[in-house]
């Protein structure tokens, strides 16, 4: 019999682009996970805002198993029932008239940026190709999406990168006014920056972007890969702000852990992705779409969404109480169940040191950059798990402060 894989196998067999924790989780249920040794953890990381219904939610397991016995894959030569049902559901629940499916957030953004360029090319001419995005933004790891993203470390050394992309300052409308012109085809923005440090947009900023895009016939693209599917307490964060984009990308929580992404857009823009212009082998995969439909239907209910708001208050209360006792944070921020605690000046740049200590106490958390401790738990995490998880986090933070 072959032995179980070990963490050493990571260095032995895998490309070194990640540095995972030592622990290997093997099973999950709700907001609890167990590792190879049977140790139990509470999950405040949520697979980086993916496991929006926790682990092995019955509605998702049942959708996956039901579809597994029917049909797995067809290709784009045929359409399929789960893809059509998911497209209809997303269109009925949002501003969008049309959906395009793929398998990840990066791919959804790749489609969005290509569509923006192609639409501008078709309707205005080849000169209208400039994309404006924001410093610190994150849009994925393909060459186009790291180029639009505002973190140069992700595109360094991979050049030449796609051109005609400029970066403004997040939440600073004047910095956009300086860059935008009639050759701009799109402004791309996360309504809440996730990887960039859990920074929600100001409402005036998003309303201002909408007006600037209209003035210059540019498309407004919202990357809701991290903020979408209930995370903000609304199905999509644009609903919280009351600002409607022309294109919206969604992934992460959309499949609740099954890989799926989507780009949503309007009837005005969609025709530029005419037959043959774009595609993806797995886009609209029946397994992925069946699970995503179950996730969207389960999450987009008044009970789950109002539950997100209630849990937001509970998380904030706990984090602020921990901070009163240990003074580690400068600020606790975020919308719904995407929360960021920025480190106090005395602990500048050291958020990451808390993660292994938290693991030792039985808690999984995240960082967003060097200075922000991030949490993206299940939208339906129980109060018991929140309270116990916070007790574990406080023990880890107590040790962090003592060792400091
Ligand atoms: C995670 C993320 C992406 C990339 O999604 P992948 O599925 O990793 O390709 C894009 N945009 C935002 C805002 C994200 O948080």
């Amino acid at each position: 019999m072959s032995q179980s894989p070990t963490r050493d196998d990571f260095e032995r067999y895998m490309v070194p682009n990640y540095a995972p924790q030592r622990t290997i989780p093997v099973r999950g249920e709700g907001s609890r996970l167990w590792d190879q040794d049977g140790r139990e953890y509470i999950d405040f990381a949520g697979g980086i805002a993916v496991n929006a219904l926790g682990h092995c939610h019955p509605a998702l397991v049942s959708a996956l198993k039901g579809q597994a016995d029917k049909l797995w894959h067809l290709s784009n030569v045929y359409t399929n029932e789960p893809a059509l049902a998911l497209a209809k559901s997303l269109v009925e629940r949002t501003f969008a008239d049309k959906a395009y499916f793929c398998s990840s957030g990066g791919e959804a953004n790749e489609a969005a940026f290509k569509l923006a360029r192609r639409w501008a090319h078709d309707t205005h001419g080849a000169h209208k190709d400039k994309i404006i995005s924001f410093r610190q933004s994150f849009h994925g790891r393909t060459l186009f999406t790291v180029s639009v993203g505002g973190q140069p470390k992700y595109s360094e050394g991979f050049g030449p990168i796609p051109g005609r992309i400029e970066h403004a300052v997040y939440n600073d409308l004047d910095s956009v006014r300086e860059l935008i012109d009639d050759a701009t085809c799109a402004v791309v923005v996360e309504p809440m920056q996730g990887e960039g440090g859990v920074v929600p947009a100001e409402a005036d900023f998003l309303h201002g972007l909408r007006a600037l895009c209209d003035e210059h016939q540019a498309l407004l693209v919202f990357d809701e890969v991290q903020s979408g599917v209930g995370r903000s307490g609304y199905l999509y964060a644009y609903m919280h702000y009351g600002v409607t984009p022309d294109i919206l990308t969604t992934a992460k929580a959309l499949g609740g852990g099954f890989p799926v992404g989507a780009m949503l857009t309007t009837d005005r823009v969609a025709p530029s992705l005419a037959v043959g212009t774009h595609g993806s082998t797995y886009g609209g995969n029946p397994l992925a779409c069946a699970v995503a439909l179950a996730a969207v239907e389960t999450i987009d209910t008044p009970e789950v969404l109002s539950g997100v708001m209630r849990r937001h208050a509970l998380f904030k209360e706990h984090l602020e109480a921990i901070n009163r006792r240990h003074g580690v944070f400068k600020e606790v921020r975020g919308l719904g169940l995407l929360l960021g605690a920025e480190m106090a000046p005395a602990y500048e740049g050291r958020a990451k040191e808390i993660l292994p200590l938290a693991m030792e106490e039985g808690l999984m958390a995240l960082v967003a950059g060097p200075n922000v401790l991030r949490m993206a738990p299940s939208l339906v995490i129980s109060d018991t798990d929140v309270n116990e998880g916070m007790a574990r986090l406080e023990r880890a933070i107590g040790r962090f402060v003592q060792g400091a």
Side-chain angles (χ1 to χ4, degrees), residues 218-300:
L219 300 176
L220 182 59
V221 180
F222 278 2
D223 178 346
E224 292 232 31
V225 170
Q226 188 154 164
S227 62
V229 199
R231 183 65 46 195
S232 70
Y234 292 75
L235 181 61
Y236 287 100
Y238 84 84
M239 298 167 176
H240 161 73
Y241 287 104
V243 178
T244 304
D246 302 293
I247 300 176
L248 181 149
T249 55
T250 176
K252 290 204 165 100
L254 182 60
F258 201 95
V260 60
M263 178 193 69
L264 307 178
T265 189
T266 61
D267 278 333
R268 181 170 77 101
V269 180
S272 288
L273 281 195
V275 173
T277 52
H278 192 61
S280 149
T281 292
Y282 288 121
N285 173 274
L287 291 169
C289 291
V291 175
L293 181 64
V296 168
E297 285 183 344
T298 306
I299 289 167
D300 192 20

Side-chain angles (χ1 to χ4, degrees), residues 68-145:
D69 286 331
K70 281 189 204 151
L71 182 69
W72 285 25
H73 182 78
L74 283 170
S75 88
N76 305 303
V77 177
Y78 309 92
T79 189
N80 68 76
E81 290 186 354
L84 295 168
L86 178 61
K88 179 169 186 272
S89 178
L90 289 170
V91 163
E92 285 175 355
R93 291 166 197 276
T94 66
F95 74 97
D97 305 311
K98 294 286 190 290
Y100 165 83
F101 294 126
C102 52
S103 307
S104 69
E107 266 184 278
N109 283 327
E110 187 79 21
F113 306 160
K114 282 180 70 180
L115 172 57
R117 284 247 173 103
R118 190 65 184 245
W119 172 84
H121 182 279
D122 292 350
T123 49
H124 296 274
H127 70 286
K128 195 173 174 69
D129 59 0
K130 189 204 279 188
I131 293 175
I132 296 174
S133 76
F134 294 90
R135 293 192 198 148
Q136 297 305 320
S137 68
F138 183 79
H139 299 297
R141 297 296 203 123
T142 68
L143 194 58
F144 200 174
T145 56

Side-chain angles (χ1 to χ4, degrees), residues 31-47:
S31 287
R32 304 242 174 180
L33 282 156
W34 289 267
D35 70 13
Q36 290 175 311
D37 302 323
R39 278 203 63 200
E40 173 257 333
Y41 302 84
I42 291 177
D43 186 8
F44 282 2

Side-chain angles (χ1 to χ4, degrees), residues 27-34 41-62 64 229-231 252-258 291 294-296 298-299 304 308 311 337 364 376-382 385:
R27 187 171 70 82
E29 191 184 325
S31 287
R32 304 242 174 180
L33 282 156
W34 289 267
Y41 302 84
I42 291 177
D43 186 8
F44 282 2
I48 316 190
V50 167
N51 300 105
L53 292 169
H55 299 275
C56 297
H57 188 283
L60 304 193
V61 171
S62 145
L64 182 61
V229 199
R231 183 65 46 195
K252 290 204 165 100
L254 182 60
F258 201 95
V291 175
V296 168
T298 306
I299 289 167
V304 170
V308 170
R311 288 171 179 83
L337 284 175
M364 292 168 168
S378 160
L379 307 184
V380 295
I381 186 171
S382 71
D385 288 353

